[in-house]
Amino acid sequence: MFRPAFVPTTAPSVRNSGTSLSRSSFLSLRNPAKFCNQAIRSSRLHVHTAPLKSSTVVSAVAAQPLTGKRVLVIGGTRFSGLYLVHELANRGANVVVLNRGSKPVGDPSLKVPGETDEHFKERNDRTTQIVADRTDAEALTSALASEKFDVIFDNNGRELSDSKPLADLAKKMDAHFVYMSSAGVYLKAPVMPHIEGDEVDPNCRHKGKLNTEDYLRETDVTYTAIRPTYIYGAGNYNPLDQWFFERLDKGMPICVPGHGAHLTGLGHVRDLAAAMAACACNPVSFGQVYNVQDRRAVTFDGVARLCAKAMGKPEPEIIHYNPKDMDFGKKKAFPFRPQHFFCSPNKALRELDWEVEYDLMAGLKDAYENDFLLKKERGGLKNDFTTDDIILSTVKGASVV
Amino acid sequence: MTAFAPSGFLGSSLLHQHARLPRTSPIRHTRSPVMSANVLIVNTKGAGHGFIGLHLARKLLQEGNTVDLLQVGGDPSFGPFAKYPSLASEFASFSFSFGSVADAKHEGYDAVYDNNAKSADDAAPAIAAGKNGAEVFYVASAGAYSYDPNTAPHLVGDPLKGATVDVENLFRDQGVSSVNFRPIYIIGEDCSKRGYLDYFFDRIVRDRPLLLPGNGSELTSLTDVRDIASMLAAALGKGMKNETLNLVNSRAVTFDGVVKMCEDAIGKKANVVRYDPDEIKKKLEGFVPKKAFPFRPRHFFADPGEATEKLGWTAEFSGSADKLAAAIKASYEDYLSLGLDKKDVKFSLDDDILKHV
């Protein structure tokens, strides 16, 4: 049963990035409830709309959410930063990226999949770069000394020492500081999903992010913290979906640690970028922490099956093994930790003007078509099956062909 | 924010802007005083949902409404049903009767909560009341969601099957714009189905092996009946039509998590023995997994996000590990006060399973 009724339209999206993803202007027509059946949406995600001249759109439409706002993005050239820059520009912002300068604004690698040259150029006209090393606090501070921003996004701070200078700068210039934290800070719990406010683990791998969150809370800076679970999509430098695609591509079995029913939270990078952009200058988000991922979590076995489906491959053979029986040395045998790890994004859905647009099938298809296949073509796949070999020889007594 | 039809691409662009006006504060759902409503509850005698009637009635009465409760079948001396008289002496605006759906009045009600219908006949009073202008709230079942082995939780809008779906469709086809609620497992005071937790208590107290199907990480939904009652009551007078809400806790708990909470409640360790129900089915003739363990041996939980968004509802009594543990502890205290620790419990099925583990 699908609620509520909607009027489908082929109208191009407001931001008209020319991407194959229409930012769902038609979604706004219906009841503003964000909690709509994702099955409907996934079938409409790849509506190809004829791109309009962006200048026409910009002049015809009243102020976009971030028109006139000056937004700093640390990095902005890789995965979440890259999509964030795109999303912010689409919302009218003047974006400044701060990085070490290896990729100038306009570098072709900074185009998002499906983006037209036209659209890319238009937003690059509103994007500038400051070259500095963010790990050098002095250089960072002096590079930004005479700058004024409305929002500062810190996507790649790991330790408090990374982000403190930026947070202090944000406070000085009365900017909104949006910090990329991680759902990895949550303490493992018998009740799930993780919800904002749950106990955090002071000894987790991400304790640097926890320290940063604590600092943001303590100082007087206007901040928002974002806790994504596992981020995926085209351009991911962490081989999550790629791990599955590589094996399925070769017709290999998928070796899953444990029983395969552990639930993991995946969030598409475009949805993450949209959630973060939706926070910018938004008073509702001040002082808040938001989990960001899909409303659904997926089992390990489910990831294998859905990846196969996204690739148009048959149901995979799945082998469950006990990781304690294996010695992989330093190699990582599986992209996810063998425990339940997922969050509810409902707070973000309620409070922000944000929706989850990429369900798993759409997201995995994006990662497969716009990333994996291209990587495969240019010979960029690792295809390191050492750990699979160990598992299969132990479990089956045979090695990978 | 209202939905309106687009007029060309600009129209939809502008609409997009309207829909994206930033809110200045999160939606606050303060409890505004509700005008007293005349409410009918048609309540099942079925074990899982039977005690909803008592708790919902109490919640609605506390909020100043007038409540008539029709108990469809059931023994007046049974647990929650036996509490109706004392509720009636506490609230003059409460009346109850035991009977059949044919006995139900359907005029003069502002709202009907149908916590009973499994068929068109059962639903007749609610349909009639709905046609007379009453809000209709139907307590269906999240068991209606088709199982997807790849993802969880169940979301409103997911594919469905089963008898309660037929009733939901019937309401809609009859022009009654019902609000359908889908619960999973319910625990709490005056419980009509103690089996969910007594399964654990019985075995731990008596030092019996605690048989668990599967791997222990199965996430299941346990909700305190007070949270059930508060969501149902919160929908009253909100003008919701043709909506579905998952009537469940905001959290699920693993089987191993339930074991730990029971151990803590009792102050005793469990002797967990895991089994594979599929394997046992092959070896033990006539084995029905449902009879051996009170929960479905798989992930079974749903997301109540819509209820929070639209009603400002929270799982006040069971929505965290601590609260759920407290609810389980309270259930154990009831277990003791009912003398159930001394009861002679038969474990023949356990013994049969153990032979093949």
Side-chain angles (χ1 to χ4, degrees):
Chain A
M1 293 201 295
F2 302 130
R3 303 277 185 266
F6 60 89
V7 180
T9 174
T10 53
S13 72
V14 171
R15 286 180 298 287
N16 190 35
S17 66
T19 59
S20 58
L21 166 66
S22 162
R23 188 69 194 166
S24 315
S25 49
F26 47 75
L27 284 176
S28 67
L29 303 178
R30 54 172 183 71
N31 183 301
K34 317 281 188 47
F35 293 79
C36 110
N37 181 6
Q38 297 182 10
I40 309 177
R41 268 187 261 149
S42 66
S43 63
R44 296 198 300 269
L45 277 172
H46 297 283
V47 171
H48 289 267
T49 58
L52 285 185
K53 296 253 176 280
S54 348
S55 55
T56 313
V57 177
V58 167
S59 60
V61 173
Q64 298 201 326
L66 297 177
T67 303
K69 300 293 183 190
R70 205 150 183 271
V71 181
L72 176 68
V73 177
I74 306 300
T77 60
R78 221 170 50 134
F79 203 38
S80 68
L82 189 157
Y83 283 95
L84 178 61
V85 166
H86 170 253
E87 188 63 42
L88 292 166
N90 280 355
R91 289 166 191 240
N94 295 313
V95 181
V96 178
V97 294
L98 186 149
N99 53 59
R100 282 170 296 176
S102 56
K103 290 181 182 175
V105 172
D107 188 283
S109 70
L110 300 177
K111 229 163 77 162
V112 310
E115 187 172 23
T116 61
D117 289 337
E118 217 169 31
H119 182 267
F120 186 48
K121 178 173 188 309
E122 190 280 324
R123 69 173 169 101
N124 288 335
D125 291 344
R126 289 182 284 122
T127 306
T128 50
Q129 181 179 51
I130 296 175
V131 178
D133 181 354
R134 66 104 13 111
T135 62
D136 180 345
E138 250 186 66
L140 187 63
T141 311
S142 75
L144 298 175
S146 51
E147 297 282 346
K148 180 89 173 66
F149 296 106
D150 298 292
V151 194
I152 298 178
F153 281 92
D154 186 353
N155 274 27
N156 46 30
R158 262 191 218 108
E159 300 300 330
L160 174 55
S161 52
D162 295 333
S163 301
K164 187 176 181 302
L166 280 165
D168 291 343
L169 266 166
K171 180 173 163 188
K172 216 165 115 190
M173 55 173 87
D174 205 22
H176 179 198
F177 186 72
V178 183
Y179 179 63
M180 174 88 91
S181 181
S182 168
V185 303
Y186 287 114
L187 183 65
K188 192 171 167 190
V191 297
M192 296 293 280
H194 292 304
I195 289 175
E196 297 85 351
D198 279 359
E199 220 181 317
V200 292
D201 182 0
N203 298 315
C204 68
R205 229 167 26 102
H206 302 277
K207 61 177 186 268
K209 292 198 188 267
L210 256 187
N211 296 338
T212 307
E213 282 196 26
D214 287 341
Y215 181 73
L216 294 173
R217 233 180 325 271
E218 285 151 19
T219 67
D220 209 16
V221 68
T222 302
Y223 81 96
T224 305
I226 302 289
R227 292 180 184 164
T229 326
Y230 286 110
I231 315 168
Y232 76 110
N236 199 351
Y237 51 82
N238 180 9
L240 295 179
D241 32 86
Q242 184 179 318
W243 188 93
F244 291 87
F245 292 148
E246 280 180 339
R247 284 144 182 84
L248 293 165
D249 188 50
K250 298 251 180 256
M252 286 169 58
I254 303 294
C255 297
V256 174
H259 46 68
H262 283 121
L263 282 162
T264 195
L266 297 180
H268 195 270
V269 65
R270 288 188 194 250
D271 286 326
L272 175 61
M276 296 184 81
C279 289
C281 303
N282 182 354
V284 172
S285 75
F286 294 168
Q288 298 299 319
V289 173
Y290 294 105
N291 297 329
V292 176
Q293 61 154 80
D294 190 4
R295 277 187 87 195
R296 285 186 219 274
V298 57
T299 62
F300 290 172
D301 288 356
V303 179
R305 291 187 203 114
L306 291 175
C307 282
K309 202 168 164 202
M311 298 165 81
K313 302 256 180 202
E315 279 257 336
E317 185 191 357
I318 296 172
I319 291 173
H320 296 139
Y321 66 94
N322 184 350
K324 296 197 175 105
D325 295 342
M326 312 285 165
D327 179 8
F328 300 124
K330 284 211 173 356
K331 288 204 182 268
K332 200 173 172 189
F334 193 70
F336 307 121
R337 59 194 91 166
Q339 62 182 65
H340 289 314
F341 180 46
F342 63 102
C343 302
S344 169
N346 289 351
K347 180 183 172 186
L349 285 168
R350 278 196 310 275
E351 297 188 4
L352 304 174
D353 194 4
W354 174 67
E355 321 217 12
V356 175
E357 292 217 349
Y358 277 90
D359 65 7
L360 289 161
M361 277 316 299
L364 291 172
K365 277 201 176 114
D366 166 57
Y368 179 62
E369 286 161 15
N370 295 321
D371 197 349
F372 180 81
L373 286 180
L374 303 175
K375 264 201 187 109
K376 180 182 172 185
E377 227 174 289
R378 60 173 190 262
L381 297 176
K382 269 210 191 123
N383 284 338
D384 179 355
F385 304 123
T386 316
T387 56
D388 305 72
D389 208 1
I390 295 170
I391 295 159
L392 291 168
S393 59
T394 312
V395 166
K396 277 184 157 182
S399 45
V400 177
V401 173
Chain B
M1 287 185 275
T2 53
F4 21 87
S7 49
F9 76 90
L10 274 186
S12 59
S13 305
L14 289 169
L15 283 172
H16 199 66
Q17 291 307 303
H18 276 289
R20 300 179 83 256
L21 283 175
R23 298 194 195 105
T24 51
S25 63
I27 299 168
R28 303 233 182 276
H29 294 269
T30 49
R31 190 83 219 134
S32 51
V34 177
M35 272 169 42
S36 173
N38 276 334
V39 182
L40 170 66
I41 301 174
V42 181
N43 198 60
T44 181
K45 67 176 163 90
H49 297 181
F51 70 140
I52 294 176
L54 173 71
H55 290 273
L56 173 59
R58 185 177 291 131
K59 180 74 179 167
L60 291 167
L61 291 162
Q62 284 166 350
E63 292 179 349
N65 300 293
T66 300
V67 179
D68 291 344
L69 187 148
L70 172 63
Q71 181 54 53
V72 181
D75 183 349
S77 67
F78 172 66
F81 309 154
K83 293 281 179 84
Y84 295 152
S86 66
L87 190 61
S89 46
E90 202 187 327
F91 291 96
S93 45
F94 178 60
S95 69
F96 68 94
S97 58
F98 286 76
S100 70
V101 290
D103 300 328
K105 223 178 55 161
H106 49 78
E107 280 168 11
Y109 290 115
D110 300 302
V112 176
Y113 286 86
D114 188 331
N115 179 36
N116 176 66
K118 301 276 183 305
S119 71
D121 290 341
D122 299 337
I127 291 172
K131 289 187 171 170
N132 279 332
E135 286 188 299
V136 174
F137 303 110
Y138 175 49
V139 181
S141 170
Y145 287 117
S146 294
Y147 173 53
D148 177 354
N150 297 330
T151 67
H154 292 301
L155 301 179
V156 171
D158 280 356
L160 304 163
K161 56 174 177 36
T164 57
V165 183
D166 294 338
V167 176
E168 291 185 25
N169 290 339
L170 178 67
F171 282 130
R172 192 197 55 222
D173 294 342
Q174 291 289 311
V176 170
S177 310
S178 65
V179 180
N180 304 312
F181 292 86
R182 300 197 184 126
I184 301 183
Y185 304 122
I186 308 171
I187 60 173
E189 203 183 28
D190 296 312
C191 194
S192 46
K193 185 166 181 174
R194 289 202 54 92
Y196 296 133
L197 294 177
D198 285 0
Y199 176 89
F200 298 84
F201 300 150
D202 285 343
R203 284 151 185 79
I204 298 173
V205 158
R206 292 165 182 76
D207 293 308
R208 290 269 331 179
L210 181 55
L211 283 164
L212 282 190
N215 55 65
S217 82
E218 292 82 359
L219 280 162
T220 198
S221 176
L222 300 182
T223 310
D224 190 287
V225 69
R226 290 168 294 177
D227 290 325
I228 299 288
S230 73
M231 194 197 291
L232 289 167
L236 181 65
K238 294 295 192 310
M240 297 172 79
K241 289 181 190 301
N242 293 320
E243 298 266 3
T244 299
L245 299 177
N246 288 327
L247 182 58
V248 295
N249 200 334
S250 50
R251 318 283 199 144
V253 58
T254 61
F255 287 175
D256 283 352
V258 176
V259 171
K260 177 81 176 41
M261 290 179 187
C262 292
E263 286 177 334
D264 290 344
I266 299 171
K268 220 171 155 193
K269 281 263 171 249
N271 169 22
V272 172
V273 175
R274 302 195 197 280
Y275 67 93
D276 179 350
D278 293 330
E279 285 303 311
I280 300 295
K281 225 190 255 178
K282 292 179 195 162
K283 298 172 184 172
L284 185 57
E285 206 188 302
F287 175 69
V288 178
K290 230 177 172 177
K291 297 209 153 84
F293 189 71
F295 306 131
R296 288 174 206 224
R298 59 163 176 90
H299 296 313
F300 185 31
F301 63 109
D303 184 344
E306 286 81 354
T308 306
E309 195 200 26
K310 296 178 186 192
L311 303 175
W313 173 86
T314 59
E316 197 190 329
F317 298 100
S318 44
S320 72
D322 289 344
K323 288 175 181 173
L324 191 55
I328 288 176
K329 175 119 182 111
S331 183
Y332 179 64
E333 275 152 18
D334 290 343
Y335 179 84
L336 293 176
S337 64
L338 290 165
L340 296 173
D341 56 328
K342 313 259 186 312
K343 198 171 137 197
D344 181 24
V345 179
K346 299 277 179 273
F347 295 105
S348 47
L349 183 49
D350 280 31
D351 290 333
D352 288 342
I353 295 169
L354 283 163
K355 287 186 194 122
H356 299 283
V357 165

